């Protein structure tokens, strides 16, 4: 008997000012850009929080969205998904420091790619 396609809970984000949603991507601990998918919504909530929007997608649909981004690996059921860590210059120049303070006070950072953490026993799915 044929089994139907696997349906994943895939984290998404709304694009500001548009009625469009896009899939969230991440970076593995090694720095490789990956797609993110969960086998159950409860696992998504545990890794990303209850406020994270998500959609149900089959693997082929998710791969179709990731392919134009050059991503061919989907990390399934990561344990933790966190925003990237901002790297700060330890000794910024005075003009740069002023610019950075102004920018951080007036703009809200947008997270399009996130860091993920997995157990070595949870393999990524390469297409």
């Amino acid at each position: 008997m044929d089994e139907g396609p696997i349906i994943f809970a895939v984290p998404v984000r709304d694009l500001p000012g548009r009625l469009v949603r896009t899939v969230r991507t991440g970076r593995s601990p090694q720095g490789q850009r990956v797609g993110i998918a969960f086998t159950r919504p409860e696992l998504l909530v545990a890794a990303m929080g209850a406020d994270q929007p998500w959609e149900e997608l089959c693997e082929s649909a998710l791969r179709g969205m990731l392919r134009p981004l050059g991503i061919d690996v989907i990390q399934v059921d990561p344990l933790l998904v966190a925003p990237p860590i901002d790297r700060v210059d330890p000794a910024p120049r005075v003009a740069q420091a002023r610019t950075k303070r102004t920018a951080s006070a007036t703009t809200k950072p947008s997270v399009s790619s996130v860091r993920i953490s997995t157990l070595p026993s949870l393999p990524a799915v390469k297409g």
Side-chain angles (χ1 to χ4, degrees):
M1 176 158 60
D2 287 335
E3 293 184 26
I6 297 173
I7 304 297
F8 290 114
V10 178
V12 297
R13 68 183 181 98
D14 296 321
L15 294 179
R18 298 172 28 188
L19 298 174
V20 176
R21 281 195 156 171
T22 184
V23 296
R24 299 286 301 265
T25 62
R27 292 198 182 272
S28 69
Q30 297 77 28
Q32 179 184 20
R33 198 163 174 207
V34 298
I36 305 169
F38 294 88
T39 53
R40 297 190 331 259
E42 302 84 42
L43 296 174
L44 181 144
V45 169
M48 300 185 79
D51 293 338
Q52 172 61 54
W54 58 277
E55 297 286 340
E56 289 184 338
L57 291 173
C58 67
E59 182 179 350
S60 62
L62 178 56
R63 287 196 185 282
M65 294 175 168
L66 296 172
R67 193 171 297 115
L69 303 173
I71 299 172
D72 65 351
V73 175
I74 299 172
Q75 183 61 58
V76 178
D77 294 332
L79 298 177
L80 174 68
V81 180
I85 299 171
D86 290 332
R87 295 183 183 181
V88 178
D89 184 1
R93 293 184 198 142
V94 174
Q96 287 177 335
R98 187 175 313 123
T99 303
K100 287 181 182 178
R101 279 196 302 270
T102 303
S104 65
T106 60
T107 60
K108 183 176 179 182
S110 71
V111 177
S112 60
S113 184
V114 292
R115 292 271 174 197
I116 62 174
S117 175
T118 62
L119 287 176
S121 62
L122 296 176
V125 179
K126 185 167 181 165

